[in-house]
Amino acid sequence: ITSLTQGASFTWRRQSNSNINEVITNSGSALISERLTVKEGVAAPQTVNYQIFTEANGCRNAGETVTLKVNPLPTVSVDMSPVSLAALGNTTVNATTNGEVVGWTSSNTNVVTVSPIGANQLSAKFEGKNAGTAYVTLEVRNATTLCTNKLSIMVNVGSQNTAGVTLALGYPSLICNGESTDLTIDIS
């Protein structure tokens, strides 16, 4: 906050809004530095009013009101998190958002790659490459306000299963309730 009057000082206060996540300070002097976010579940933009007072040469003004509009972030969720899969295994993760998908990215493509599916990219194929842990981030955007939100999904990739498992039933291959049979498991 600046003034053309030399030696001016400033104080400010913000009016409370129940749909805004409150920050520790809602008043101060000179610099206004707050991160205001709309509470989850509130879809409409919220108005926040700051009243700014100038004091110079022993006089204080009645205050000026500055109004800000705080846009909500688009919501985003997925049907599974965290994700566990084997190296060379894959799975599909589906997302829900009230925005549009900007993109899916992997923090480590040596562990997991991600390939968006479909025109709206609300689903993505995760493919395990090598054992380890990585994060896949889904970014969404509100097309009107251009506000973005991100969701990170932890992906644990196990080692590749190189053994094929064949299950062979001993005879008889059909049994009745209460009977038993021998099972042979051949791992090769």
Side-chain angles (χ1 to χ4, degrees), residues 1 15 23 45 60 90 94 102 115 117 119 126 136 159 173 177:
I1 303 172
Q15 294 174 341
V23 290
R60 179 179 167 151
N90 65 70
N94 301 299
V102 174
S115 304
I117 300 170
F126 289 25
V136 170
S159 59
S173 60
N177 188 24

Side-chain angles (χ1 to χ4, degrees), residues 139-158:
E139 183 176 5
V140 296
R141 171 180 56 218
N142 179 306
T144 304
T145 65
L146 302 181
C147 294
T148 61
N149 198 2
K150 294 180 180 180
L151 175 69
S152 288
I153 305 156
M154 183 169 67
V155 181
N156 296 307
V157 178

